[in-house]
Amino acid sequence: MPSAIAQLNQFGQSPWYDNLARSLLHAPAGERTGLQALVEDDGIRGVTSNPTIFEKAMAAGEGYDEDLEQCAREGLSIEDSYWRLVSDDVGTAADVLRSVYDATGGADGFVSVEVSPDLAHDTAATIEQAEELFRRLGRPNVMIKIPGTLEGLPAITATVAKGINVNVTLIFSIDRHAAVIDAYFLGLEQLVAANGDPSRVSSVASFFVSRVDTETDRRLPEGDALRGTAAVANARLAYRLFRERFASDRWEALAARGARLQRPLWASTSTKNPAYSPTLYVDELIGRDTVNTLAPASIEALHRGDANLRPNTVAENSEEAEQVMRDLAGVGVDFADVTDTLEREGVASFSASFHDALSTLEKRRAEMT
């Protein structure tokens, strides 16, 4: 019997691992790595990373010192050293996932790496770094993460138009999700107009989940019946939008040229509130043509058998989801302000982690001298 994680594949959803560290990638001779085991035993089909993940890995050591010393010998700056270490990890992970990429005809097996969060509001610099990272890594199963900020939207279009895989991150609202889809369509149209092959480009739209409940619950009284309902409702409405927009004439024209769906990716799906089921955002968001990024805590919960997995749960009760949003407005919760707040905090959090990682590397390098 397949593991609960592998069962998601049977329901048309790809489980990706939301973690990346050297301890996952390197194993003694004759042993599988942690990532290999997740791929082979649990059907993990992708990996995501972000500055917070790398900051934690680098702060813990995780086998970076030897390479950091080499960077120092080469005279690399701390930031250049960070990107060297990150690129090595992402490249190694992409090599592990290459078998999945090949077996699925390029539909899965991706590893995502994020541009500097300091560039979240700088379109031109985002485009430049996305190109540089994709070129440096030199693997077809790498996705470049670009934040879905207003300034990120034209960067998404330009990057897709250059034939680069894009993971659009930090999406919280339905309106922004719609704009991200438009940016993807436009990028594909520009690629086709330049005689590029859209079948060689993949994209996901990372729609954040648990943080929506955290922020919304904060604005509701203790014990309110609406607590713990906003995140799933918001994601279900995003999935409905996805299905509508990818059934349009505009999309059908692109699909006829071989273009691939921009799948919704449910991000931040480990529950933050211990009162909620540890697999709430797994159980309720299963759907075809989606991705769920599973943090280590979610992997553990699924291995324990905590989940209640059923097919196509994300497509259920869209009318109830609309009612949740109306009810929130009725009690004075400004949901647009919720999602705007989460975007600002998300950018700031990743930026802080990025600079913490640089500080960690600077400290470790100083200790080596």
Side-chain angles (χ1 to χ4, degrees), residues 50-51 83 113-123 125-127 129-130 133 144-157 159 166-172 176-177 179-180 183 204-206 208 262 342-344 346-348 350-351:
N50 60 50
W83 288 113
V113 59
E114 188 161 350
V115 298
S116 167
D118 289 349
L119 307 180
H121 301 294
D122 187 332
T123 301
T126 294
I127 295 168
Q129 190 172 69
L133 280 172
I144 307 302
K145 294 179 81 170
I146 296 175
T149 57
L150 288 175
E151 297 85 356
L153 296 174
I156 294 160
T157 294
T159 305
V166 176
N167 177 340
V168 185
T169 188
L170 291 176
I171 307 171
F172 296 95
R176 189 57 56 82
H177 187 201
V180 164
V204 293
S206 293
F208 279 57
Q262 184 187 57
L342 289 171
E343 180 181 298
R344 288 194 304 272
V347 170
F350 283 160
S351 181

Side-chain angles (χ1 to χ4, degrees), residues 13-176:
Q13 181 174 75
S14 293
W16 289 8
Y17 192 39
D18 192 26
N19 191 31
L20 185 56
R22 296 210 163 175
S23 58
L24 288 167
L25 301 174
H26 301 286
E31 295 184 16
R32 295 184 301 174
T33 67
L35 181 57
Q36 283 177 319
L38 287 167
V39 170
E40 295 170 10
D41 300 340
D42 289 308
I44 286 292
R45 289 192 170 189
V47 169
T48 54
S49 66
N50 60 50
T52 301
I53 287 171
F54 282 121
E55 189 279 326
K56 290 179 180 177
M58 291 174 183
E62 299 288 356
Y64 291 100
D65 286 354
E66 183 176 343
D67 285 350
L68 187 57
E69 288 178 340
Q70 178 60 34
C71 290
R73 285 193 292 270
E74 294 178 23
L76 296 185
S77 68
I78 291 297
E79 186 164 347
D80 286 344
S81 299
Y82 170 87
W83 288 113
R84 165 80 67 83
L85 300 176
V86 165
S87 296
D88 287 349
D89 286 358
V90 171
T92 301
D95 292 342
V96 174
L97 269 295
R98 183 60 187 263
S99 61
V100 176
Y101 179 83
D102 292 339
T104 60
D108 242 322
F110 293 96
V111 181
S112 297
V113 59
E114 188 161 350
V115 298
S116 167
D118 289 349
L119 307 180
H121 301 294
D122 187 332
T123 301
T126 294
I127 295 168
E128 182 180 0
Q129 190 172 69
E131 289 184 69
E132 195 278 328
L133 280 172
F134 194 68
R135 183 172 55 250
R136 174 190 291 191
L137 284 156
R139 294 164 174 85
N141 60 325
V142 167
M143 275 188 173
I144 307 302
K145 294 179 81 170
I146 296 175
T149 57
L150 288 175
E151 297 85 356
L153 296 174
I156 294 160
T157 294
T159 305
V160 169
K162 294 176 186 294
I164 296 171
N165 307 314
V166 176
N167 177 340
V168 185
T169 188
L170 291 176
I171 307 171
F172 296 95
S173 74
I174 303 300
D175 287 347
R176 189 57 56 82

Side-chain angles (χ1 to χ4, degrees), residues 234-296:
N234 197 39
R236 284 177 170 164
L237 294 176
Y239 186 72
R240 186 176 70 178
L241 173 70
F242 158 71
R243 282 300 182 202
E244 291 170 353
R245 296 297 294 275
F246 283 86
S248 66
D249 290 343
R250 186 181 183 187
W251 169 249
E252 290 301 328
L254 289 165
R257 301 294 296 267
R260 298 178 184 269
L261 296 171
Q262 184 187 57
R263 293 177 292 171
L265 178 152
W266 312 126
S268 184
T269 56
S270 57
T271 51
K272 306 298 189 288
N273 188 331
Y276 302 156
S277 163
T279 59
L280 170 64
Y281 307 122
V282 178
D283 298 342
E284 299 300 324
L285 300 179
I286 298 171
R288 300 201 67 80
D289 300 317
T290 64
V291 176
N292 197 316
T293 55
L294 303 174

